[in-house]
Amino acid sequence: MRAPVSWIAEFVDLPAGLDGRSLGDALIRVGLEVERVSAPADGISGPLRIGRVLSIEELTGFKKPIRYCLVEVGEPAPRGIVCGAQNFAEGDLIVAALPGAVLPGPFPIVARQTYGRTSDGMICSARELGLGEDHSGILVLPPDFGEPGTDLLDALDVLGMRDAVLDIAVTADRGYCLAVRGLAREAAAALDLPFTDLPVPGVAEQVAGYPASVSDPAGCDRFELRAVTGLDARRPTPEYIVRRLRACGMRSISLAVDVTNYVMLETGHPLHGYDRALLSGPLGVRRAEPGEKLTTLDGTVRLLDADDLVITDDRGPIGLAGVMGGAATELSDGTRDVLLEAAHFDPASISRAVRRHKLPSEAAKRFERGVDPAMAPVALQRCVDLLIEHGGATAVAGGTLIGNGPVPVPIELPAGRPGRLAGTPIATAAVRHRLEQVGCLVTVAEARAAGAPETQATETQATGTEAAADEPVLSVTPPSWRPDLTDPADLIEEVVRLEGYDKVPSVLPRSPADRGWTAEQRLRRSISRAMAGAGYTEVINYPFVSPAVHDAFGLAPEDSRRRALRLANPISDAEPELRTSLLPGLLANLGRNLGRGNRELAIFEMGLVYLPAETTEPAPRPGVEHRPTDAELAAISRTVPVQPRYLATVLAGDVELPGWWGPGRPAGWADAIESARVAARAARVELEIRKAEVAPWHPGRCAQLLLDGAVVGAAGELHPRVIAALDLPARTCAMELNLDAFDPPPPAQAPELSNYPPVLLDLALVVPAPVPAADVLAAVRAGAGGLLESVRLFDVYADDERLGAGLKSLAFALRFRAPDRTLTVDEAIAVRDAAVAEAAVRCGAVLRG
């Protein structure tokens, strides 16, 4: 929003000597984003004169129209200037920048050869002079503006070029600042000066106006019409209106259109004018019907959506409500009777229509942020008065009013709460004064009773201080132009920002001492360091996946990993679901690295996966007026997705590179299982390994990972079908493990070391081929007892001729040691025999001869 300081000064009596930059600084202090303060004259120097066009020669043979003009600039001979604009004629007064002048940019003017002629200067447009954004043609001055040759540097005040213009970025919650009136109110509050509002018209005489109806009150809760007749639409727009429109970035079109735009910029309430002679029957406000079309003012034929809010007459839609009018009822030079509309439309409906039709407009920008419904009669009366004054029109008696718009709801605010929340004392009188500056109606609701009601307890918890027992409670009714003020927190923000954010003390919260990491954090960091030490590189991925990954992984229809949560507003439509596994992201990382020539890869990720909640009931939405109850918090928790923390690894290529020492070794399923053991050792637990068939792993090269008999993960080589679907290297391996199954280990205790030598024995057991080696290992460990220091499987052997069909031999290295003596060979053999006996009972093992 751009606003000249002189226009703001019509609402606020600004101090003498206050320049635009000082006013901008004051607005910044109360929270507005002032991007730039500029005056067109700041960047202009050199000869800038009034010129009269004496003759125009149309140059031909070029891709665009070009004119060679002789311009009288108060010198003995006219100057020849080349110009491409077409909106002026011989005899018009223009602004001529002569060689040596500098225009905003900076843009120095010099005489130069162009289009086969010498251009001895430039005929300026409004944008080139810094007066606005209009560059559709050059700036044509009024016929009585001055004599040719007059130095315009001495007349910049007349053009408004010394008037500073504030350029303000208005956030979505401050739609009222898209008006000079709203910015002036902010300036008055920032400078603590009185604000003079526009006069509210009296009650009109009870004369029926133009017939209208509203069939969708939810989309339009206020619709008001006024009419004027006898307008001379060909009259020129007053120079002060043109100048202010230009300063705000709008170009002058015609008197009637300029007046509606001027009033919109002044009041913040968009208006629309209809040529009354082109209307057919009463106006209506409704949703569009399927198949309806509308030709808007930009000449585009638009197919309407059933959600579009439209203005209609007997012929059908004549305007896209709150966005743009229709060409069928457009105002023109021949318009004599004008019907003016001011309405209050649903912001969400307007916002959707703008995005659906890709049709942003100044009116829509205000409607979708929320306009002041009470300003409708003021804006209409202001528009009628200007058309009467400058267009010779006559007001038609009466008017049309349907609905009154939303009614503000009072909000209760303890008077001391803003100060307690800000951490600085703010007196009750100051709180009332700041809220009244905003435009609120403030009364004292009641005195806070002694005791500690629930709201006071909640506030004490939030602010850390208690409210006084006799503290007054203010009843605050927000103004109609502030729909964003709905809660006590909104009012507190207004008080604090007007008091000054610079007055809020900067106090860092006290951090509790000696807390350190939690046991869970220490466990995660131990596992992360262990994985890095094993040669894996950590990656972090977004938690979003494509539904197609379930089919690529070959997941069965009943697999719980298919029950992914779908996002209501995904960042990408290609990845609308939350992950139920870490592997999709890691395999995508592998694919990207392969595409960049990285063939050997070992990566891991620790992160959350998202599983459906315990219940499908919608989550309750407690209010903000008090702390949620335990029952509400429990109900909310039940609807939150289950989010266990997983660890996953992916390996591809060689884990041992080839060199002079010998050939390399490619990654295999055993390396994937070992990555799980690395994590388990960091957590000081031992995993049990069992053969299994789990998607997306190869059915013959996959192992389940168990902890205390419960499945906590899987590891192995990926299924060839998955590798083909994702275009991965053959024999790619992966592991995934549920870290939440690991309890944080207690602090590590130093082991007791024996000074006595160990006894080393090897043990070979013959068992049926289907028996897992892990079961035999567990039986050996259980049978050996406390003297067994370690046991390791070092060989697996199968031979139908020597061992027999369906049998295999498992060879273990056993290490025995006693803490208090040297074991004899007989003691070691006895312990070994006990281990063999236990393996025979559990697994049917036989000592190999």
Side-chain angles (χ1 to χ4, degrees):
M1 174 68 189
R2 300 178 61 182
V5 173
S6 62
W7 204 351
I8 295 175
E10 293 184 2
F11 295 85
V12 185
D13 188 12
L14 299 176
L18 182 75
D19 60 10
R21 297 193 181 279
S22 299
L23 178 58
D25 291 341
L27 293 175
I28 290 173
R29 285 196 300 272
V30 295
L32 293 185
E33 298 179 24
V34 181
E35 295 188 329
R36 185 175 59 181
V37 180
S38 61
D42 292 346
I44 297 178
S45 63
L48 189 71
R49 299 180 183 175
I50 297 176
R52 175 179 283 118
V53 180
L54 299 179
S55 65
I56 298 175
E57 178 185 352
E58 303 287 349
L59 303 183
T60 59
F62 303 102
K63 293 182 179 179
K64 61 179 181 179
I66 298 296
R67 292 174 157 186
Y68 180 70
C69 309
L70 291 180
V71 181
E72 179 186 359
V73 291
E75 297 175 344
R79 290 185 180 250
I81 300 176
V82 175
C83 182
Q86 302 292 307
N87 67 319
F88 63 99
E90 293 179 356
D92 284 345
L93 294 182
I94 51 86
V95 178
L98 304 183
V102 179
L103 300 182
F107 181 54
I109 304 300
V110 296
R112 62 191 181 96
Q113 285 289 124
T114 180
Y115 296 102
R117 302 294 177 95
T118 298
S119 184
D120 202 13
M122 186 174 77
I123 302 176
C124 302
S125 69
R127 190 172 73 178
E128 288 159 346
L129 292 171
L131 293 173
E133 297 302 318
D134 184 16
H135 197 56
S136 59
I138 59 98
L139 177 63
V140 179
L141 301 174
D144 57 350
F145 193 84
E147 292 298 321
T150 302
D151 190 348
L152 275 175
L153 291 179
D154 298 331
L156 293 180
D157 289 334
V158 180
L159 286 174
M161 295 176 67
R162 295 195 190 278
D163 190 5
V165 177
L166 304 178
D167 193 349
I168 299 173
V170 179
T171 54
D173 61 332
R174 300 200 181 276
Y176 66 96
C177 286
L178 289 172
V180 175
R181 171 181 179 252
L183 293 176
R185 185 181 295 277
E186 290 293 306
L191 300 171
D192 207 11
L193 297 172
F195 172 77
T196 304
D197 206 349
L198 292 168
V200 178
V203 178
E205 55 182 304
Q206 299 300 314
V207 178
Y210 195 88
S213 63
V214 176
S215 59
D216 188 353
C220 177
D221 52 23
R222 182 178 181 125
F223 191 72
E224 192 165 356
L225 300 172
R226 289 286 303 276
V228 296
T229 186
L231 173 69
D232 183 359
R234 291 184 175 84
R235 287 194 185 184
T237 303
E239 182 60 28
Y240 79 94
I241 293 180
V242 174
R243 189 166 61 245
R244 285 181 170 175
L245 290 177
R246 189 187 300 131
C248 293
M250 287 186 168
R251 62 186 179 90
S252 175
I253 298 174
S254 66
L255 174 62
V257 175
D258 290 350
V259 165
T260 57
N261 286 337
Y262 180 84
V263 173
M264 177 188 70
L265 292 172
E266 185 175 55
T267 65
H269 202 298
L271 303 173
H272 185 68
Y274 302 92
D275 189 329
R276 190 170 178 179
L278 300 178
L279 293 174
S280 177
L283 294 186
V285 184
R286 61 170 172 83
R287 299 288 174 174
E289 297 176 357
E292 285 188 315
K293 296 182 179 181
L294 170 68
T295 303
T296 47
L297 288 173
D298 59 358
T300 302
V301 179
R302 302 183 185 276
L303 180 63
L304 300 177
D305 185 88
D307 185 51
D308 289 334
L309 198 63
V310 293
I311 311 298
T312 65
D313 64 5
D314 288 345
R315 297 166 297 181
I318 59 172
L320 192 56
V323 180
M324 185 173 287
T329 57
E330 182 179 6
L331 300 177
S332 65
D333 289 345
T335 300
R336 298 281 297 167
D337 302 328
V338 179
L339 183 65
L340 298 170
E341 166 212 303
H344 185 258
F345 298 115
D346 172 47
S349 295
I350 303 304
S351 181
R352 290 195 298 268
V354 168
R355 283 150 185 77
R356 185 181 303 115
H357 295 283
K358 297 180 176 59
L359 188 61
S361 66
E362 289 293 328
K365 185 191 301 183
R366 289 161 174 81
F367 277 123
E368 62 186 356
R369 286 166 171 79
V371 301
D372 181 5
M375 188 52 53
V378 178
L380 285 173
Q381 186 61 52
R382 180 83 166 121
C383 189
V384 168
D385 292 343
L386 290 173
L387 291 177
I388 292 173
E389 179 182 357
H390 302 296
T394 302
V396 176
T400 304
L401 175 60
I402 302 174
N404 290 307
V407 178
V409 178
I411 304 169
E412 289 194 352
L413 175 69
R417 190 172 179 185
R420 287 192 296 277
L421 201 61
T424 184
I426 303 178
T428 300
V431 172
R432 294 193 61 166
H433 175 60
R434 293 305 185 183
L435 292 174
E436 288 169 350
Q437 283 184 317
V438 171
C440 298
L441 176 64
V442 184
T443 60
V444 177
E446 61 183 52
R448 185 186 293 278
E454 181 180 356
T455 54
Q456 181 170 339
T458 303
E459 184 181 338
T460 301
Q461 184 180 17
T463 63
T465 58
E466 289 191 9
D470 58 348
E471 178 181 280
V473 176
L474 304 179
S475 177
V476 183
T477 303
S480 55
W481 60 86
R482 293 298 303 271
D484 58 305
L485 302 182
T486 58
D487 295 294
D490 301 323
L491 302 178
I492 293 171
E493 180 185 2
E494 294 300 303
V495 172
V496 175
R497 77 177 180 89
L498 294 181
E499 281 291 297
Y501 289 125
D502 55 327
K503 296 181 181 179
V504 177
S506 299
V507 180
L508 292 176
R510 295 181 180 178
S511 60
D514 300 326
R515 292 289 291 274
W517 291 342
T518 65
E520 291 78 9
Q521 288 174 324
R522 286 195 295 270
L523 174 61
R524 292 201 296 268
R525 282 163 172 76
S526 296
I527 294 174
S528 179
R529 286 194 296 267
M531 298 304 299
Y536 290 83
T537 300
E538 185 172 11
V539 299
I540 300 175
N541 290 307
Y542 286 117
F544 313 121
V545 296
S546 167
V549 74
H550 308 312
D551 295 328
F553 276 21
L555 302 183
E558 66 276 7
D559 196 313
S560 61
R561 288 173 291 177
R562 278 188 176 271
R563 296 172 55 208
L565 298 166
R566 182 172 287 266
L567 297 170
N569 55 340
I571 295 177
S572 168
D573 291 336
E575 296 179 330
E577 293 183 351
L578 288 172
R579 64 190 179 191
T580 57
S581 167
L582 299 182
L583 292 181
L586 286 173
L587 295 177
N589 296 141
L590 173 59
R592 279 192 292 273
N593 278 273
L594 291 173
R596 289 159 177 77
N598 298 326
R599 313 300 297 180
E600 281 72 41
L601 208 67
I603 56 177
F604 81 98
E605 180 177 9
M606 281 196 299
L608 301 179
V609 299
Y610 305 86
L611 308 177
E614 301 174 5
T615 177
T616 58
E617 298 178 359
R621 302 184 67 179
V624 298
E625 63 275 2
H626 62 81
R627 183 183 183 276
T629 64
D630 292 341
E632 288 175 327
L633 291 175
I636 293 172
S637 297
R638 286 194 296 272
T639 64
V640 175
V642 180
Q643 302 172 56
R645 187 175 298 276
Y646 277 22
L647 166 70
T649 61
V650 166
L651 301 98
D654 291 337
V655 292
E656 295 178 7
L657 297 177
W660 58 264
W661 51 85
R665 183 177 70 82
W669 59 267
D671 296 294
I673 295 174
E674 180 60 23
S675 69
R677 288 195 173 109
V678 169
R681 284 194 292 270
R684 300 208 293 278
V685 297
E686 187 169 353
L687 294 175
E688 182 182 350
I689 312 299
R690 288 188 182 276
K691 182 179 179 181
E693 294 185 10
V694 182
W697 284 275
H698 191 297
R701 298 168 186 158
C702 170
Q704 275 186 334
L705 311 174
L706 295 90
L707 180 64
D708 297 331
V711 177
V712 295
E717 183 181 308
L718 292 180
H719 198 289
R721 182 175 57 248
V722 176
I723 290 175
L726 301 179
D727 195 21
L728 301 175
R731 302 296 180 94
T732 296
C733 300
M735 181 277 295
E736 189 164 43
L737 183 64
N738 183 359
L739 292 183
D740 282 358
F742 294 175
D743 292 326
Q749 301 294 325
E752 294 184 4
L753 301 179
S754 174
N755 293 324
Y756 298 94
V759 175
L760 306 178
L761 294 177
D762 290 342
L763 176 65
L765 299 174
V766 178
V767 296
V771 175
D775 291 352
V776 181
L777 182 68
V780 170
R781 182 179 286 115
L787 293 179
L788 179 65
E789 188 174 81
S790 66
V791 57
R792 176 176 59 87
L793 175 68
F794 68 86
D795 185 50
V796 179
Y797 174 71
D799 189 321
D800 291 347
E801 293 182 2
R802 295 188 179 185
L803 298 179
L807 299 176
K808 63 182 177 182
S809 172
L810 304 177
F812 298 92
L814 285 71
R815 184 185 186 97
F816 300 101
R817 194 195 310 256
D820 56 349
R821 68 189 188 281
T822 299
L823 289 176
T824 66
V825 174
D826 293 339
E827 287 178 309
I829 292 175
V831 175
R832 184 200 66 182
D833 292 343
V836 173
E838 184 67 21
V841 172
R842 293 191 184 188
C843 307
V846 176
L847 183 64
R848 182 180 171 189

